Amino acid sequence: MEWQRQNLTDEWKERGIEKKRDYAILTAEISKATFGMTPGEYKKHKNIPTKSKGNLRDNMTDLELIFTMLGEKVTTEISHQEKPETFTENKLVAGRGGKVAGNARKDTEKELGRSVISNENYLSGQLSDNEHGKLED
């Protein structure tokens, strides 16, 4: 998963994004379009202290991680193809990539009959074995 995040940040760097704050804004755009909340809001949803070093990804279920990766990968692909030149253009691309993942999440939720957005977190051991992917069908 970290390799995908690195590909995305490398792509943004290639597009002239340099400030840490800009990376955070772009990441928030993907997250809002994918899950309807920013990473900070998501941390609160999962009861991860915002001042802690707690990593949101480390506390996600498999499905949450999959949709996070989808949003990042689609954003990377759109950016690579369209080569946005400004921060505003990169922000629009991030929103589009996140929207693809958000639509896939909503379709999955319809099929499952439940939300894939969990307030449980992986590190605290609150997830069931099935949510960890340890149980077989």
Side-chain angles (χ1 to χ4, degrees), residues 1-9 12 27 30-35 39 42 55-58 60-78 93-94 96-102 104-105 116:
M1 168 98 158
E2 286 305 313
W3 59 267
Q4 176 49 47
R5 178 70 186 168
Q6 187 62 49
N7 288 344
L8 178 59
T9 56
W12 283 339
T27 299
I30 297 170
S31 180
K32 281 190 294 189
T34 303
F35 298 108
Y42 214 151
N55 184 324
L56 179 59
R57 291 168 194 265
D58 290 343
M60 288 182 159
T61 65
D62 290 346
L63 283 172
E64 289 170 316
L65 285 169
I66 288 165
F67 293 116
T68 297
M69 286 181 64
L70 180 61
E72 291 176 351
K73 182 62 175 171
V74 172
T75 299
T76 303
E77 293 294 318
I78 294 169
V93 167
R96 287 168 54 205
K99 184 178 178 186
V100 169
R105 176 188 58 83
V116 300

Side-chain angles (χ1 to χ4, degrees), residues 117-133:
I117 298 172
S118 171
N119 63 351
E120 298 175 330
N121 64 64
Y122 185 90
L123 288 182
S124 70
Q126 293 178 350
L127 295 179
S128 68
D129 284 342
N130 193 36
E131 287 176 288
H132 281 300

